[in-house]
Amino acid sequence: NAGVTQTPKFQVLKTGQSMTLQCAQDMNHEYMSWYRQDPGMGLRLIHYSVGAGITDQGEVPNGYNVSRSTTEDFPLRLLSAAPSQTSVYFCASSQDGSGGYTFGSGTRLTVV
Amino acid sequence: AQSVAQPEDQVNVAEGNPLTVKCTYSVSGNPYLFWYVQYPNRGLQFLLKYITGDNLVKGSYGFEAEFNKSQTSFHLKKPSALVSDSALYFCAVRAALYNQAGTALIFGKGTTLSVSS
């Protein structure tokens, strides 16, 4: 049982480039979320989904897009990377939000 | 507004002593509260949760947390700290969101626990 799998683990982008951070879970969880972690800021919610075809914005959605075409996958797209998007990104999933969320191991993104 | 506050950036404690990591919350309705731990260069690991019932919740690795509704607090505790407990600890609350009938976790900024031998 793999849990929540994030790829890649590390990425360096140039300003203006686009990329997709992948997140997949094999627990048939309905709820999935993307967070970014910055020093002293904790984890801030970027986008979340409560099921296939249903997504919405979190606290810091600007510059990011998501889609949820299947229950398993919840990719995060950076449209035009900026240095301010340098961060560690975590994907998480939960069956119904009332229990604990399972987190992936993170993607460390650097935008130069 | 729904929020979580962890008033201490860092907590220092000697091994064998009791530890407390503080958390207060603001949320509409009954709170669902969580504690997570993050070791260096790792993801977050679930420690414990409070949904309803006994105000003292027991979790992984000997940790427990006390829910206090009147003080809107959910402090993390351990009777005897270990050096291996040194890590970053996050308190979180399940928050009803924005435009959809769904929820996600809102996190505090984290508290670094340092246990000295």
Side-chain angles (χ1 to χ4, degrees):
Chain A
N1 200 349
V4 178
T5 302
Q6 291 185 238
T7 56
K9 293 190 182 302
F10 301 94
Q11 183 70 49
V12 178
L13 287 180
K14 294 183 178 179
T15 298
Q17 286 185 318
S18 62
M19 79 160 293
T20 299
L21 308 184
Q22 301 293 342
C23 176
Q25 52 91 8
D26 61 0
M27 298 171 284
N28 203 31
H29 285 174
E30 292 294 327
Y31 285 56
M32 297 186 75
S33 306
W34 275 103
Y35 295 86
R36 59 176 290 173
Q37 182 180 17
D38 302 291
M41 302 293 290
L43 278 80
R44 292 181 292 172
L45 182 65
I46 304 172
H47 286 283
Y48 71 102
S49 170
V50 298
I54 307 171
T55 65
D56 205 353
Q57 298 178 353
E59 304 169 75
V60 288
N62 292 341
Y64 307 95
N65 273 356
V66 292
S67 60
R68 184 96 180 269
S69 56
T70 67
T71 299
E72 294 76 21
D73 299 300
F74 190 42
L76 178 71
R77 282 183 287 277
L78 280 71
L79 308 173
S80 177
S84 61
Q85 294 178 304
T86 293
S87 187
V88 181
Y89 292 84
F90 287 101
C91 179
S93 73
S94 174
Q95 176 55 41
D96 59 6
S98 63
Y101 275 71
T102 301
F103 280 78
S105 57
T107 295
R108 186 174 295 274
L109 175 69
T110 302
V111 182
V112 298
Chain B
Q2 300 167 114
S3 64
V4 175
Q6 294 181 242
E8 302 157 317
D9 291 336
Q10 179 145 351
V11 170
N12 299 309
V13 64
E15 189 173 33
N17 284 358
L19 69 87
T20 298
V21 183
K22 295 179 180 178
C23 172
T24 59
Y25 64 91
S26 174
V27 65
S28 56
N30 293 323
Y32 285 33
L33 297 157
F34 303 84
W35 276 101
Y36 285 83
V37 61
Q38 184 181 36
Y39 298 98
N41 301 312
R42 302 289 294 276
L44 275 72
Q45 297 179 28
F46 171 77
L47 275 180
L48 50 79
K49 67 180 179 184
Y50 172 85
I51 296 178
T52 187
D54 195 346
N55 289 344
L56 185 64
V57 179
K58 295 190 183 296
S60 305
Y61 312 120
F63 284 93
E64 57 190 26
E66 187 170 12
F67 171 67
N68 187 316
K69 187 173 184 178
S70 63
Q71 297 185 5
T72 62
S73 67
F74 189 54
H75 301 330
L76 182 70
K77 301 181 179 184
K78 188 173 183 181
S80 179
L82 300 172
V83 172
S84 57
D85 292 331
S86 299
L88 182 58
Y89 290 81
F90 289 100
C91 182
V93 64
R94 189 185 79 158
L97 294 172
Y98 302 107
N99 298 321
Q100 298 285 351
T103 65
L105 293 183
I106 300 298
F107 284 85
K109 293 186 178 182
T111 298
T112 299
L113 174 64
S114 179
V115 182
S116 58
S117 57

